[in-house]
Amino acid sequence: MHESSAQIVTSSGQRLINRLCKHWAHKLEVDADQGRVVFDGGLCLMSADEDALRVQLQADDAERLEQLKDVVASHLERMAGKEELEIRWQ
């Protein structure tokens, strides 16, 4: 199992989780209450507090992990609208 995580400074973390879960619910297994999204070959776990959004990714292999990092980051940026997010995967 390959893993990566990011802590993103934002006061909109819960709103972003809700928007992403709603967006992905039509084609992926989603638990919005838990901030959990199941992808083919991977898992995304999200949580938020008043000033940060935490994202944890797990994937079957390194290549899939890189793909999921790109997918999640691009969708977060799109859902954030005009708010600029600094996403640094660790």
Side-chain angles (χ1 to χ4, degrees), residues 20-79:
L20 276 177
C21 287
K22 185 176 181 181
H23 175 75
W24 280 327
H26 68 281
K27 61 181 174 181
L28 299 170
E29 179 185 332
V30 171
D31 182 338
D33 294 331
Q34 297 292 317
R36 183 175 187 271
V37 181
V38 179
F39 291 92
D40 183 34
L43 176 66
C44 175
L45 301 170
M46 299 174 284
S47 63
D49 58 30
E50 58 196 34
D51 59 0
L53 168 64
R54 283 168 299 289
V55 181
Q56 294 177 293
L57 295 177
Q58 300 172 351
D60 294 341
D61 57 53
E63 181 180 347
R64 185 62 177 144
L65 181 62
E66 291 303 313
Q67 292 170 343
L68 288 177
K69 286 169 27 178
D70 289 344
V71 167
V72 171
S74 68
H75 279 77
L76 278 171
E77 290 166 351
R78 190 175 327 146
M79 296 296 164

Side-chain angles (χ1 to χ4, degrees), residues 7-19:
Q7 182 163 321
I8 305 154
V9 176
T10 179
S11 61
S12 305
Q14 192 59 52
R15 180 182 65 82
L16 291 170
I17 292 171
N18 293 340
R19 291 187 74 191

